[in-house]
Amino acid sequence: MSDHFLDSGTASAAANEPAPLSRDGWSLALLIFIGQMLVMLLLVSGLGFAAYQQQNKVILADRQSTVAAITVTLANDPFVGSALSSKNPTEQLQPYVQKVLDRAESVDFITIMTPDAIRVTHPDPSQIGKKYIGSTAQALAGQTYNEQATGTLGNSVRTIAPVYRDGQLVGMVSSGFTMHNLQLIYRSELPQILLFSALALLLAGFTSWLFSRYVNQATLGFGPAGLRRLYAFYFSALHSVQEGLVLLDRRHRIVLYNQEAARLLRLPEQVPAEGLDPGQTAMPETLAELMRTGRSCKDEIHLGMDTVLSVSQSPARLSNAKLPRRGRARWHWFGTAPLTGQVLTLKDLTEVQELAGEVRSLKTFSTALRAQTHEHANRLHTIAALIENGRADEALEFAVDDRQHSQQLTDAIVHSIDDVYLSSLLVAKAAQAHERGVRLDITAHGTVPNDVFHATDLVTIVGNLLDNALDVSVGTAEATVWVEVSVLDNELMILVADSGPGIEPEFLENLLRLGVSTKEGVLPRGLGLALVQQAVLRLGGTISVDNDAGAIFTVSLPMAA
């Protein structure tokens, strides 16, 4: 399911990389970048315009206050009042006003006039002696007045104040600045605002580019339509596979699983938004430990409550071919692709167990028949040779003795164990052990009713334990396997011991729990012990293992109807 996104480390050659999925339309990262840039452009433009307007208001207020201060100062200057009372005020006031204009950069003009609004000073000497254009009523009434009007110098902002001498109105003073020069001042401030706006836009663009670059890596260059289609495909594939599939993040928390995994591990139907801790579920502790450690494994046998599971786990990494070019080079420098979590697959071996039990039973019986056929042929040859040599009495005695010995063994087992499958299995195993040079010592006490246990379960338990015991007893000095089947207080006890080397202490703890094998690389024995443990748990029994020269397996099964 995850071949396009997850690289579990099994395929390292570039030739084995899966073909990339088609990416139609603009990527999600590009759409986010464009959207962010449009928002930032509108925001920066709005803020720049607002800053420009605010700056204009500040400059206008500052100029107005400056002009008002100069106007009031001139109106209260005794020299101005004295000059206006003289016969030729222009000769005295025009040079004086020019000096003030040269020093006061915030003022464009200063006009001093008589009470009848006749100019005695003006920046344009040709306007001297002409009538003042503007409002004078407020000044004649003794008030200082601000206005914006169009005069000889164009549209301007001015302040008019009355001039008094000895309590008598002797004239008026008007000073101000033109709107043309004010606009020039406004425009001189514009580059600074544009510069800060451009820097803000550049910073926002760089931040947006970094974020969209991360989004592009996270989404592998797909657009919204591609991600939606990809989600639909992979979600359907996740829940259509027959195996259980569990996805874990880098914190080893379960973030996604399909319905089969939920059934096998008894997980909730929906994954919580914050993920699921393996230790908080009803899954076996061995599986929870495997998920928490994150170690890799392949076809490892684990026991569920009522199932035998084959488990594989591998790290999930972004395939190198799916990384963006720059990201690919960066991770190539570090030698590995980014780890995104781990993938765990589960195979239910319950049906395989049942089939394997039946096949194992048939194989056991066929092996026993083959051994008995081989043994019977040897005995027939012996009998035939005795008859050919004229020793018919000895041949008859040999045949009767052999028949009685075999019949005694069969009768002892069948009469002691009232279960046709278990008794047949032990008879067959006795023949198989005899062929392999191992003595099978069978002890039976009590009666096992034939309606208590399923035949497959008993064959699975006893057959697997005997197979393991025969394997390790072949070639040993004593070469003996002991089997004891007894019924005590409505409980079936099965004990299987061997003369082998025993089980090493480090294997005792996990031998039955994980179904591991004491022989490296021998999976069938590990699976066989796992099947034994699963069958015992299903029947509500217990199993224990111990060492006493050889291994001793003890199984206790309650005989509830």
PDB file of all heavy atoms in Angstrom, residues 1-2 6 238 245-249 252-258 261 271 276 316 341-344:
ATOM      1  N   MET A   1       0.806  -1.190   0.000  1.00  0.00           N
ATOM      2  CA  MET A   1       0.000   0.000   0.000  1.00  0.00           C
ATOM      3  C   MET A   1       0.855   1.263   0.000  1.00  0.00           C
ATOM      4  O   MET A   1       0.508   2.273  -0.559  1.00  0.00           O
ATOM      5  CB  MET A   1      -0.900   0.014   1.227  1.00  0.00           C
ATOM      6  CG  MET A   1      -1.955   1.058   1.140  1.00  0.00           C
ATOM      7  SD  MET A   1      -2.208   2.212   2.443  1.00  0.00           S
ATOM      8  CE  MET A   1      -0.843   2.412   3.397  1.00  0.00           C
ATOM      9  N   SER A   2       1.994   1.191   0.672  1.00  0.00           N
ATOM     10  CA  SER A   2       2.797   2.375   0.877  1.00  0.00           C
ATOM     11  C   SER A   2       4.016   2.430  -0.023  1.00  0.00           C
ATOM     12  O   SER A   2       4.971   3.112   0.277  1.00  0.00           O
ATOM     13  CB  SER A   2       3.233   2.432   2.331  1.00  0.00           C
ATOM     14  OG  SER A   2       3.912   1.263   2.676  1.00  0.00           O
ATOM     15  N   LEU A   6       6.454   4.997   1.274  1.00  0.00           N
ATOM     16  CA  LEU A   6       7.238   4.441   2.370  1.00  0.00           C
ATOM     17  C   LEU A   6       8.283   3.496   1.831  1.00  0.00           C
ATOM     18  O   LEU A   6       7.990   2.619   1.026  1.00  0.00           O
ATOM     19  CB  LEU A   6       6.325   3.707   3.352  1.00  0.00           C
ATOM     20  CG  LEU A   6       5.217   4.591   3.961  1.00  0.00           C
ATOM     21  CD1 LEU A   6       4.312   3.737   4.808  1.00  0.00           C
ATOM     22  CD2 LEU A   6       5.794   5.719   4.754  1.00  0.00           C
ATOM     23  N   LEU A 238      -5.843   0.670   2.057  1.00  0.00           N
ATOM     24  CA  LEU A 238      -5.553   0.301   3.447  1.00  0.00           C
ATOM     25  C   LEU A 238      -6.585  -0.671   3.992  1.00  0.00           C
ATOM     26  O   LEU A 238      -6.249  -1.643   4.676  1.00  0.00           O
ATOM     27  CB  LEU A 238      -5.505   1.564   4.304  1.00  0.00           C
ATOM     28  CG  LEU A 238      -5.321   1.370   5.809  1.00  0.00           C
ATOM     29  CD1 LEU A 238      -3.931   0.852   6.115  1.00  0.00           C
ATOM     30  CD2 LEU A 238      -5.576   2.666   6.557  1.00  0.00           C
ATOM     31  N   LEU A 245      -2.762  -4.055   9.018  1.00  0.00           N
ATOM     32  CA  LEU A 245      -1.740  -3.037   8.764  1.00  0.00           C
ATOM     33  C   LEU A 245      -1.866  -1.943   9.814  1.00  0.00           C
ATOM     34  O   LEU A 245      -2.945  -1.384  10.025  1.00  0.00           O
ATOM     35  CB  LEU A 245      -1.909  -2.447   7.366  1.00  0.00           C
ATOM     36  CG  LEU A 245      -0.829  -1.471   6.910  1.00  0.00           C
ATOM     37  CD1 LEU A 245       0.523  -2.161   6.841  1.00  0.00           C
ATOM     38  CD2 LEU A 245      -1.187  -0.885   5.554  1.00  0.00           C
ATOM     39  N   VAL A 246      -0.751  -1.655  10.502  1.00  0.00           N
ATOM     40  CA  VAL A 246      -0.717  -0.644  11.559  1.00  0.00           C
ATOM     41  C   VAL A 246       0.396   0.340  11.225  1.00  0.00           C
ATOM     42  O   VAL A 246       1.523  -0.066  10.932  1.00  0.00           O
ATOM     43  CB  VAL A 246      -0.472  -1.279  12.944  1.00  0.00           C
ATOM     44  CG1 VAL A 246      -0.456  -0.190  14.027  1.00  0.00           C
ATOM     45  CG2 VAL A 246      -1.537  -2.317  13.254  1.00  0.00           C
ATOM     46  N   LEU A 247       0.087   1.642  11.280  1.00  0.00           N
ATOM     47  CA  LEU A 247       1.065   2.695  11.038  1.00  0.00           C
ATOM     48  C   LEU A 247       1.319   3.430  12.345  1.00  0.00           C
ATOM     49  O   LEU A 247       0.373   3.829  13.039  1.00  0.00           O
ATOM     50  CB  LEU A 247       0.561   3.678   9.974  1.00  0.00           C
ATOM     51  CG  LEU A 247       0.142   3.070   8.630  1.00  0.00           C
ATOM     52  CD1 LEU A 247      -0.292   4.166   7.675  1.00  0.00           C
ATOM     53  CD2 LEU A 247       1.254   2.247   8.029  1.00  0.00           C
ATOM     54  N   LEU A 248       2.590   3.610  12.690  1.00  0.00           N
ATOM     55  CA  LEU A 248       2.986   4.293  13.918  1.00  0.00           C
ATOM     56  C   LEU A 248       3.852   5.488  13.574  1.00  0.00           C
ATOM     57  O   LEU A 248       4.585   5.471  12.571  1.00  0.00           O
ATOM     58  CB  LEU A 248       3.747   3.348  14.865  1.00  0.00           C
ATOM     59  CG  LEU A 248       2.979   2.107  15.331  1.00  0.00           C
ATOM     60  CD1 LEU A 248       3.363   0.902  14.469  1.00  0.00           C
ATOM     61  CD2 LEU A 248       3.269   1.794  16.797  1.00  0.00           C
ATOM     62  N   ASP A 249       3.770   6.545  14.397  1.00  0.00           N
ATOM     63  CA  ASP A 249       4.574   7.731  14.150  1.00  0.00           C
ATOM     64  C   ASP A 249       5.943   7.581  14.809  1.00  0.00           C
ATOM     65  O   ASP A 249       6.286   6.519  15.334  1.00  0.00           O
ATOM     66  CB  ASP A 249       3.852   8.989  14.638  1.00  0.00           C
ATOM     67  CG  ASP A 249       3.559   8.936  16.146  1.00  0.00           C
ATOM     68  OD1 ASP A 249       4.125   8.061  16.836  1.00  0.00           O
ATOM     69  OD2 ASP A 249       2.764   9.762  16.622  1.00  0.00           O
ATOM     70  N   HIS A 252       6.229   6.297  18.289  1.00  0.00           N
ATOM     71  CA  HIS A 252       5.752   4.914  18.454  1.00  0.00           C
ATOM     72  C   HIS A 252       4.310   4.887  18.952  1.00  0.00           C
ATOM     73  O   HIS A 252       3.928   4.009  19.729  1.00  0.00           O
ATOM     74  CB  HIS A 252       6.659   4.125  19.414  1.00  0.00           C
ATOM     75  CG  HIS A 252       8.110   4.178  19.052  1.00  0.00           C
ATOM     76  ND1 HIS A 252       8.613   3.658  17.876  1.00  0.00           N
ATOM     77  CD2 HIS A 252       9.174   4.710  19.698  1.00  0.00           C
ATOM     78  CE1 HIS A 252       9.923   3.856  17.830  1.00  0.00           C
ATOM     79  NE2 HIS A 252      10.285   4.494  18.922  1.00  0.00           N
ATOM     80  N   ARG A 253       3.516   5.831  18.510  1.00  0.00           N
ATOM     81  CA  ARG A 253       2.084   5.839  18.801  1.00  0.00           C
ATOM     82  C   ARG A 253       1.321   5.429  17.540  1.00  0.00           C
ATOM     83  O   ARG A 253       1.680   5.822  16.435  1.00  0.00           O
ATOM     84  CB  ARG A 253       1.614   7.220  19.264  1.00  0.00           C
ATOM     85  CG  ARG A 253       2.218   7.654  20.581  1.00  0.00           C
ATOM     86  CD  ARG A 253       1.697   9.020  21.005  1.00  0.00           C
ATOM     87  NE  ARG A 253       0.264   8.978  21.276  1.00  0.00           N
ATOM     88  CZ  ARG A 253      -0.256   8.675  22.452  1.00  0.00           C
ATOM     89  NH1 ARG A 253       0.533   8.368  23.473  1.00  0.00           N
ATOM     90  NH2 ARG A 253      -1.558   8.658  22.632  1.00  0.00           N
ATOM     91  N   ILE A 254       0.273   4.648  17.727  1.00  0.00           N
ATOM     92  CA  ILE A 254      -0.527   4.171  16.603  1.00  0.00           C
ATOM     93  C   ILE A 254      -1.350   5.335  16.064  1.00  0.00           C
ATOM     94  O   ILE A 254      -2.110   5.972  16.796  1.00  0.00           O
ATOM     95  CB  ILE A 254      -1.446   3.024  17.044  1.00  0.00           C
ATOM     96  CG1 ILE A 254      -0.606   1.853  17.583  1.00  0.00           C
ATOM     97  CG2 ILE A 254      -2.321   2.555  15.893  1.00  0.00           C
ATOM     98  CD1 ILE A 254      -1.451   0.732  18.174  1.00  0.00           C
ATOM     99  N   VAL A 255      -1.191   5.615  14.765  1.00  0.00           N
ATOM    100  CA  VAL A 255      -1.916   6.731  14.152  1.00  0.00           C
ATOM    101  C   VAL A 255      -2.913   6.260  13.094  1.00  0.00           C
ATOM    102  O   VAL A 255      -3.811   7.017  12.721  1.00  0.00           O
ATOM    103  CB  VAL A 255      -0.927   7.737  13.526  1.00  0.00           C
ATOM    104  CG1 VAL A 255      -0.094   8.397  14.609  1.00  0.00           C
ATOM    105  CG2 VAL A 255      -0.015   7.060  12.503  1.00  0.00           C
ATOM    106  N   LEU A 256      -2.761   5.023  12.614  1.00  0.00           N
ATOM    107  CA  LEU A 256      -3.686   4.548  11.580  1.00  0.00           C
ATOM    108  C   LEU A 256      -3.601   3.028  11.523  1.00  0.00           C
ATOM    109  O   LEU A 256      -2.529   2.442  11.700  1.00  0.00           O
ATOM    110  CB  LEU A 256      -3.319   5.145  10.215  1.00  0.00           C
ATOM    111  CG  LEU A 256      -4.303   4.895   9.064  1.00  0.00           C
ATOM    112  CD1 LEU A 256      -5.656   5.528   9.364  1.00  0.00           C
ATOM    113  CD2 LEU A 256      -3.754   5.451   7.757  1.00  0.00           C
ATOM    114  N   TYR A 257      -4.742   2.384  11.277  1.00  0.00           N
ATOM    115  CA  TYR A 257      -4.775   0.939  11.081  1.00  0.00           C
ATOM    116  C   TYR A 257      -6.048   0.601  10.320  1.00  0.00           C
ATOM    117  O   TYR A 257      -6.995   1.394  10.251  1.00  0.00           O
ATOM    118  CB  TYR A 257      -4.715   0.190  12.425  1.00  0.00           C
ATOM    119  CG  TYR A 257      -5.693   0.668  13.462  1.00  0.00           C
ATOM    120  CD1 TYR A 257      -7.046   0.284  13.451  1.00  0.00           C
ATOM    121  CD2 TYR A 257      -5.270   1.520  14.483  1.00  0.00           C
ATOM    122  CE1 TYR A 257      -7.926   0.718  14.413  1.00  0.00           C
ATOM    123  CE2 TYR A 257      -6.153   1.972  15.453  1.00  0.00           C
ATOM    124  CZ  TYR A 257      -7.474   1.564  15.412  1.00  0.00           C
ATOM    125  OH  TYR A 257      -8.361   1.995  16.356  1.00  0.00           O
ATOM    126  N   ASN A 258      -6.044  -0.581   9.722  1.00  0.00           N
ATOM    127  CA  ASN A 258      -7.217  -1.001   8.965  1.00  0.00           C
ATOM    128  C   ASN A 258      -8.110  -1.890   9.827  1.00  0.00           C
ATOM    129  O   ASN A 258      -7.812  -2.188  10.992  1.00  0.00           O
ATOM    130  CB  ASN A 258      -6.807  -1.703   7.666  1.00  0.00           C
ATOM    131  CG  ASN A 258      -5.970  -2.946   7.917  1.00  0.00           C
ATOM    132  OD1 ASN A 258      -5.709  -3.315   9.054  1.00  0.00           O
ATOM    133  ND2 ASN A 258      -5.547  -3.598   6.854  1.00  0.00           N
ATOM    134  N   ALA A 261      -6.559  -5.190  11.207  1.00  0.00           N
ATOM    135  CA  ALA A 261      -5.691  -4.973  12.375  1.00  0.00           C
ATOM    136  C   ALA A 261      -6.525  -4.698  13.626  1.00  0.00           C
ATOM    137  O   ALA A 261      -6.195  -5.165  14.713  1.00  0.00           O
ATOM    138  CB  ALA A 261      -4.743  -3.811  12.109  1.00  0.00           C
ATOM    139  N   VAL A 271      -9.343   5.665  15.359  1.00  0.00           N
ATOM    140  CA  VAL A 271      -8.117   6.054  16.045  1.00  0.00           C
ATOM    141  C   VAL A 271      -8.335   7.406  16.714  1.00  0.00           C
ATOM    142  O   VAL A 271      -8.846   8.333  16.082  1.00  0.00           O
ATOM    143  CB  VAL A 271      -6.933   6.143  15.062  1.00  0.00           C
ATOM    144  CG1 VAL A 271      -5.629   6.370  15.811  1.00  0.00           C
ATOM    145  CG2 VAL A 271      -6.848   4.894  14.224  1.00  0.00           C
ATOM    146  N   LEU A 276      -2.714   6.553  19.564  1.00  0.00           N
ATOM    147  CA  LEU A 276      -3.022   5.491  20.522  1.00  0.00           C
ATOM    148  C   LEU A 276      -1.732   4.865  21.016  1.00  0.00           C
ATOM    149  O   LEU A 276      -0.898   4.425  20.214  1.00  0.00           O
ATOM    150  CB  LEU A 276      -3.906   4.436  19.847  1.00  0.00           C
ATOM    151  CG  LEU A 276      -4.604   3.414  20.747  1.00  0.00           C
ATOM    152  CD1 LEU A 276      -5.543   4.121  21.710  1.00  0.00           C
ATOM    153  CD2 LEU A 276      -5.367   2.414  19.902  1.00  0.00           C
ATOM    154  N   ALA A 316       9.544   3.253   8.443  1.00  0.00           N
ATOM    155  CA  ALA A 316       8.932   3.928   7.299  1.00  0.00           C
ATOM    156  C   ALA A 316       9.731   5.187   7.004  1.00  0.00           C
ATOM    157  O   ALA A 316       9.845   6.075   7.846  1.00  0.00           O
ATOM    158  CB  ALA A 316       7.474   4.268   7.599  1.00  0.00           C
ATOM    159  N   GLY A 341       8.184   7.080  10.753  1.00  0.00           N
ATOM    160  CA  GLY A 341       7.524   6.191  11.698  1.00  0.00           C
ATOM    161  C   GLY A 341       7.881   4.749  11.402  1.00  0.00           C
ATOM    162  O   GLY A 341       9.000   4.435  10.994  1.00  0.00           O
ATOM    163  N   GLN A 342       6.919   3.855  11.577  1.00  0.00           N
ATOM    164  CA  GLN A 342       7.147   2.441  11.327  1.00  0.00           C
ATOM    165  C   GLN A 342       5.850   1.806  10.837  1.00  0.00           C
ATOM    166  O   GLN A 342       4.752   2.294  11.128  1.00  0.00           O
ATOM    167  CB  GLN A 342       7.651   1.740  12.587  1.00  0.00           C
ATOM    168  CG  GLN A 342       6.712   1.858  13.785  1.00  0.00           C
ATOM    169  CD  GLN A 342       7.430   1.694  15.098  1.00  0.00           C
ATOM    170  OE1 GLN A 342       8.265   2.516  15.468  1.00  0.00           O
ATOM    171  NE2 GLN A 342       7.110   0.638  15.820  1.00  0.00           N
ATOM    172  N   VAL A 343       6.001   0.737  10.078  1.00  0.00           N
ATOM    173  CA  VAL A 343       4.878   0.007   9.509  1.00  0.00           C
ATOM    174  C   VAL A 343       4.908  -1.410  10.058  1.00  0.00           C
ATOM    175  O   VAL A 343       5.944  -2.069  10.026  1.00  0.00           O
ATOM    176  CB  VAL A 343       4.954  -0.024   7.966  1.00  0.00           C
ATOM    177  CG1 VAL A 343       3.779  -0.794   7.393  1.00  0.00           C
ATOM    178  CG2 VAL A 343       4.983   1.382   7.409  1.00  0.00           C
ATOM    179  N   LEU A 344       3.772  -1.864  10.558  1.00  0.00           N
ATOM    180  CA  LEU A 344       3.664  -3.198  11.134  1.00  0.00           C
ATOM    181  C   LEU A 344       2.543  -3.940  10.414  1.00  0.00           C
ATOM    182  O   LEU A 344       1.436  -3.418  10.264  1.00  0.00           O
ATOM    183  CB  LEU A 344       3.378  -3.105  12.629  1.00  0.00           C
ATOM    184  CG  LEU A 344       3.329  -4.426  13.407  1.00  0.00           C
ATOM    185  CD1 LEU A 344       4.065  -4.286  14.726  1.00  0.00           C
ATOM    186  CD2 LEU A 344       1.894  -4.853  13.675  1.00  0.00           C
TER     187      LEU A 344
END
